[in-house]
Structures are given as structure tokens and as C-alpha cells.
Amino acid sequence: MARNSVRELLDAHALSICGEAEDGEQALDRVKALKPDLVLLDINMPVMNGIQAAFEIRRISPATKILFLTVRECTPEAEAAVRLLGVQGFVNKSMAGTELIPALKRLLQTEA
């Protein structure tokens, strides 16, 4: 699922997007500046992959929830990141149309 499609899906469900990033390094900069409640990360990003970015996000913003959106099935590395970094889970891009919004809403509801 392309970034524009994800944006349209989130907009259609009234989920606000406070920032976007082209790569893992930009994602870190956005988290520092915007302090989001939740970050949606692709595992396969240029410059710094999603697992590395999740590690850094967890370090600089421990309360920020992290959800991986990935093209691949959950790899051993991603499973380890989920466990060790406290990542809240992952959604396969092929299932994003049906699984992404419920996963995001579930994570955001735990905020209240």
C-alpha cells in the first residue's frame, strides 16, 4: 500500500496525521519535533530501517506507540523488535485495507 493510499485511508477514518517521513532518519526528526501518540513505520525504509528507527524512537520518546506496516511477513528480526522494543505489532501492507484502521484505533483507544 503506497503512502498516498495510507493517507487517504487514515483521512477517511478521521485519523489525523501530524507528519510524514521519507526515511528512518526523517522519522526520528519528526518524532522529536511533533511528539506523536503513535508512529506507523515501514520496516524497509532507506537511510535507517524501521527496526533501527523504532529502537531510536523508543529511546527518545518511550510513550510513543509504534506499529510496523510491512510488505513482508513478520521476520525473526521484526518479531524480536516487537518483543524487545515494545513495538505494539505489525500489519502486512497487503492486509492494510482491512487490518490497519482497527489496529490503529485499538492502540489509540488505550490512550484514554
Side-chain angles (χ1 to χ4, degrees):
M1 180 171 260
R3 181 180 308 153
N4 287 344
S5 299
V6 170
R7 175 178 273 290
E8 289 170 10
L9 184 62
L10 297 177
D11 286 344
H13 289 273
L15 292 169
S16 62
I17 299 169
C18 67
E20 291 183 49
E22 294 287 325
D23 58 54
E25 227 168 66
Q26 272 188 7
L28 286 179
D29 291 340
R30 298 292 191 278
V31 168
K32 288 176 189 173
L34 301 170
K35 298 174 180 36
D37 296 325
L38 187 143
V39 174
L40 186 60
L41 288 176
D42 192 335
I43 290 177
N44 301 312
M45 293 188 296
V47 183
M48 176 187 294
N49 72 38
I51 294 170
Q52 292 168 316
F55 177 82
E56 292 299 322
I57 290 168
R58 185 59 63 231
R59 188 177 62 75
I60 62 171
S61 184
T64 299
K65 293 180 168 85
I66 300 169
L67 183 68
F68 284 138
L69 181 64
T70 182
V71 127
R72 297 182 179 161
E73 293 301 315
C74 194
T75 64
E77 294 84 9
E79 287 178 13
V82 167
R83 283 193 312 276
L84 296 172
L85 299 174
V87 171
Q88 279 67 34
F90 73 98
V91 173
N92 191 291
K93 285 184 179 180
S94 67
M95 300 301 292
T98 57
E99 293 181 6
L100 182 59
I101 296 303
L104 292 172
K105 286 187 174 182
R106 185 175 60 252
L107 290 176
L108 292 170
Q109 282 178 349
T110 62
E111 302 259 316

